[in-house]
Amino acid sequence: MTKRSIDAFSALRALRLAAPSKRIARAPVRLSSNHGGPGSGSTAPSLSHRSGRDWALMLFGISAGVAGTYLWQTGKLGPSSVKLDAVVKHAGRKTSKGGRIVSSEELGEHSDLTSLWVAVDGNVWDVTDFVARHPGGVQILIDHAGKDVTQIFRGIHAPGTIEKNLAESQLVGRLDEQALAAIASGDHETQRIARARAALFGVDSVVTLNDFEKYAQGVCSDECWEYYSGGADSEHALRGNREAYDRVFIRPRVLRDVKEVDTSTKILGMDSPAPFYISPTARNGWSNPIGEVASTIGAGRTGFFQILSHVASRSLDEVMQAKADGQKIGWQLYMNMDRDIAAREIKHAAELGAQSIWLTADLSCLMKNVRIRSGSVKRNPAPADKPISRPDKPSRLSERHDPSLQWADIAWIKEVTGGLPVVVKGVGSWEDVVLAKENGADAVVLSNHGGRALDFANPPLKTLQDIGKHAPGLLKDDKFQVFVDGGIRQGTDIIKALCLGASAVGLGRPFIFAAAGWGPDGEMEISMRLMGVKNIQELGPEYLETSRL
Ligand code: HEM
Ligand code: HEM
Ligand SMILES: Cc1cc2nc3c(=O)[nH]c(=O)nc-3n(C[C@H](O)[C@H](O)[C@H](O)COP(=O)(O)O)c2cc1C
């Protein structure tokens, strides 16, 4: 039996060494896209030449990019899903005042749909007429109305966005010296972040993934942190994911020969050094300069399997170019309401050599992130005498998330791809695992989307336990695998899921920060040895105390 010493954290560490492929154009680094500080707007030198401290900054820069990505998510209340009537009704007359000087007080007066101004790079824009067709949504502009939005704007939009979308006549003028000086010196929060950033220590001083989250909070703006850490609604699903693992204990066995331990396994027929894969997460490019390609390179070096998000920052074409010879990439699909578009997308992925299609089934509409909205309202409270100017409640349907998805679509995807494996991601009850198998899926992911789809959705570990009770045959099926994700942050979490019958687990958030490895190496191997287990086939429910699950 081969000795393995790779686990979740050493794989993450390997990603730290991932250098960008020469074939991949490097996007500008936004180390502090949403809160300023050192590194803003610089371009990335070769990642492989970065020192440890640079990497630490880089990591924290990743968290800084979070705000941008989440804004993108809240931006899903786009014009197509918002009831536009309400917006149009409130929209004011177009102004065309030309270049005059504007004070921050005057800017602040234009903060609702009747007249909505924002300042970017010192220029004040009247976007009243633009709001209704803002691709990022109406609400987000209302939340930032009457303010300097330079940092947050730059974190989300490509250069040239203003020029392409706003007419010169919408330029009101320039902020006055006082306002510009205030922006340059930074507000209370910017200063707090700068202090936290200056006090950062090197990557080697961080012991676990959880530590990283703790430190990241210090160098994030409040808004950034809300976007990063928030779950759906009351966040019971988000907390439940983690708590499920915490409620399970291990029953170790001793006096067994555990000199050699093997963590390797097969995922969809492919060899994997350990039973986990990189779960698809959207828009990594807002948080690291080469986006998902960082994971591709790291995964290529370590032999792990990556699933690219449908809404990734880097295209599947780019990822396929960057991958190592023989490296396999899965592709995650959000089914478009327009099935012609969906068919084209799926075919394209198959032609590019995607190993499998991961159909995400748990987001038939977009969820409500209360933490984000509450934070936003706290920072921008509506004056008591101000008339209601918010858009009508959006439907939160999006063309990208077809709410009419059905089980028969599994066969349709197979037909379109000519038979690629299909994995149904986001299954939350054992009955649906049975249906997935009956309808030809090759695997399922028990998942509640990292606590960000349906609040109170069962912790996936519990769903896994239910399968063991009600349909145990599905867990020992050579041709059908059950994966689990959500809240998995350490080797023992993986072991617990495997003991309950999972074939492998997915890591979402940890790989967003995957430019570096955090935490101890060989954690899973150590745990297996301490449990008296030599390989993952030996893991079973008898090693767990699950009475509190
Ligand atoms: C100066 C006025 C603004 C203009 C002209 C503008 C323009 C745009 C455009 C053209 C897009 C589509 C980008 C794409 O398809 O890649 C977009 C998306 C977006 N914008 Fe804005 N925007 C403005 C202000 C803002 C502000 C102040 C915020 C938030 C603080 C914001 C948040 C967003 C978000 C979240 C998206 C969605 C990004 C995505 O789906 O990838 N925008 N905006
Ligand atoms: C607690 C950690 C997080 C959880 C549980 C979480 C979960 C989710 C969920 C459930 C969605 C719904 C839409 C989708 O999956 O496509 C989403 C969207 C998104 N997330 Fe987060 N996320 C987290 C952190 C982050 C971070 C760190 C980033 C950026 C680096 C990010 C970027 C995005 C983006 C860009 C979307 C939009 C995708 C879309 O609507 O199609 N998220 N996230
Ligand atoms: C930032 C972020 C973006 C995500 N984007 C996607 C996505 O585009 N497609 C998808 O199927 N799942 C997406 N997910 C869900 C993950 O694939 C996975 O189910 C979840 O993150 C697992 O939980 P964990 O983050 O606790 O490991 C996203 C999760 C996060 C955190």
Side-chain angles (χ1 to χ4, degrees):
M1 209 163 293
T2 355
K3 183 183 178 301
R4 300 280 180 175
S5 60
I6 291 180
D7 72 344
F9 301 112
S10 48
L12 288 171
R13 181 178 295 270
L15 292 181
R16 175 170 57 167
L17 303 173
S21 157
K22 289 211 169 53
R23 283 165 292 179
I24 300 297
R26 280 174 211 141
V29 185
R30 292 194 195 103
L31 284 183
S32 50
S33 53
N34 296 296
H35 50 64
S40 269
S42 61
T43 45
S46 165
L47 295 185
S48 55
H49 296 149
R50 285 176 170 269
S51 69
R53 178 147 179 93
D54 279 348
W55 271 106
L57 285 175
M58 174 87 185
L59 266 178
F60 288 100
I62 286 170
S63 55
V66 169
T69 24
Y70 266 98
L71 282 170
W72 191 79
Q73 177 190 332
T74 52
K76 290 287 105 47
L77 0 166
S80 57
S81 58
V82 171
K83 290 199 182 103
L84 289 183
D85 285 354
V87 177
V88 173
K89 215 164 44 207
H90 288 289
R93 193 174 41 86
K94 188 175 183 174
T95 52
S96 55
K97 293 175 186 153
R100 57 186 193 76
I101 298 297
V102 180
S103 68
S104 27
E105 288 72 31
E106 188 184 3
L107 173 64
E109 281 160 16
H110 298 266
S111 60
D112 60 34
L113 289 169
T114 58
S115 179
L116 204 158
W117 294 4
V118 290
V120 180
D121 294 330
N123 293 327
V124 178
W125 293 93
D126 181 341
V127 291
T128 314
D129 283 359
F130 173 73
V131 176
R133 56 193 165 84
H134 177 226
V138 175
Q139 187 65 61
I140 206 158
L141 276 176
I142 296 174
D143 287 348
H144 293 84
K147 293 200 162 62
D148 168 62
V149 295
T150 307
Q151 281 166 6
I152 208 153
F153 178 85
R154 293 277 169 236
I156 297 169
H157 304 80
T161 301
I162 290 194
E163 293 76 357
K164 279 189 211 137
N165 290 276
L166 300 179
E168 222 171 290
S169 58
Q170 286 167 284
L171 179 65
V172 179
R174 194 88 195 129
L175 282 177
D176 67 17
E177 289 303 322
Q178 210 184 340
L180 290 173
I183 293 167
S185 67
D187 57 11
H188 175 70
E189 184 171 71
T190 314
Q191 289 161 10
R192 188 259 295 161
I193 290 164
R195 277 197 304 277
R197 193 174 278 280
L200 276 187
F201 38 76
V203 179
D204 285 346
S205 302
V206 176
V207 183
T208 70
L209 284 170
N210 290 335
D211 285 350
F212 168 69
E213 291 191 22
K214 206 167 61 198
Y215 302 129
Q217 184 168 12
V219 296
C220 275
S221 68
D222 290 345
E223 190 164 39
C224 164
W225 185 250
E226 285 150 15
Y227 287 128
Y228 161 58
S229 58
D233 297 321
S234 62
E235 299 186 344
H236 278 81
L238 179 66
R239 283 192 297 276
N241 285 354
R242 184 57 243 154
E243 285 165 8
Y245 288 94
D246 292 342
R247 284 197 299 265
V248 173
F249 284 82
I250 296 174
R251 295 170 7 97
R253 302 298 304 273
V254 295
L255 301 186
R256 293 173 167 189
D257 178 1
V258 285
K259 208 161 141 236
E260 298 293 319
V261 167
D262 181 9
T263 61
S264 68
T265 191
K266 282 198 184 295
I267 298 178
L268 296 176
M270 294 169 297
D271 289 326
S272 177
F276 70 89
Y277 58 84
I278 305 176
S279 200
T281 52
R283 303 270 172 168
N284 288 192
W286 274 325
S287 53
N288 104 48
I290 57 170
E292 292 76 8
V293 165
S295 294
T296 308
I297 296 168
R301 292 194 176 162
T302 48
F304 283 93
F305 183 44
Q306 175 191 14
I307 296 101
L308 185 72
S309 165
H310 191 159
V311 287
S313 302
R314 294 291 174 174
S315 65
L316 186 59
D317 308 55
E318 287 172 299
V319 163
M320 287 303 191
Q321 272 188 5
K323 77 178 181 62
D325 286 345
Q327 183 183 351
K328 302 281 188 227
I329 306 286
W331 186 69
Q332 179 259 323
L333 167 72
Y334 282 129
M335 187 76 84
N336 201 294
M337 284 188 194
D338 180 334
R339 287 306 170 93
D340 290 338
I341 296 178
R344 271 202 303 278
E345 290 173 334
I346 298 166
K347 255 197 203 115
H348 185 62
E351 280 160 13
L352 286 173
Q355 184 272 345
S356 45
I357 306 292
W358 294 52
L359 172 68
T360 297
D362 56 7
L363 270 187
S364 48
C365 68
L366 296 167
M367 85 318 182
K368 186 171 91 190
N369 186 324
V370 170
R371 205 186 291 211
I372 296 169
R373 290 291 310 133
S374 303
S376 180
V377 167
K378 205 165 104 197
R379 280 182 295 275
N380 309 285
D385 56 351
K386 198 171 151 183
I388 293 173
S389 70
R390 292 185 180 271
D392 284 358
K393 193 169 172 283
S395 71
R396 303 194 77 83
L397 288 180
S398 134
E399 317 77 83
R400 217 161 28 204
H401 302 263
D402 185 355
S404 64
L405 260 187
Q406 293 174 34
W407 289 109
D409 288 318
I410 296 174
W412 182 74
I413 296 170
K414 290 208 161 196
E415 199 185 304
V416 173
T417 61
L420 281 187
V422 173
V423 180
V424 181
K425 177 172 181 289
V427 175
S429 61
W430 69 268
E431 293 91 334
D432 279 350
V433 182
V434 175
L435 284 171
K437 167 100 202 304
E438 282 173 10
N439 283 280
D442 298 84
V444 289
V445 186
L446 308 180
S447 169
N448 56 26
H449 217 113
R452 299 186 56 98
L454 172 67
D455 196 14
F456 284 100
N458 223 8
L461 194 67
K462 185 85 180 85
T463 312
L464 182 61
Q465 190 188 37
D466 289 348
I467 302 175
K469 278 187 203 149
H470 302 287
L474 291 174
L475 300 173
K476 299 185 190 79
D477 192 321
D478 283 350
K479 298 208 169 64
F480 183 79
Q481 289 191 300
V482 176
F483 307 130
V484 180
D485 77 24
I488 293 163
R489 297 292 179 271
Q490 55 210 359
T492 42
D493 296 340
I494 303 176
I495 285 173
K496 289 171 187 176
L498 262 63
C499 283
L500 288 181
S503 296
V505 305
L507 298 179
R509 199 166 30 148
F511 274 103
I512 296 170
F513 309 115
W518 299 76
D521 284 351
E523 205 177 76
M524 193 174 162
E525 185 191 318
I526 294 168
S527 302
M528 282 170 65
R529 207 168 261 136
L530 291 174
M531 287 170 70
V533 168
K534 288 192 280 295
N535 59 56
I536 63 171
Q537 287 74 31
E538 287 178 18
L539 293 169
E542 65 277 15
Y543 286 97
L544 296 186
E545 205 303 290
T546 55
S547 58
R548 293 195 310 139
L549 180 60

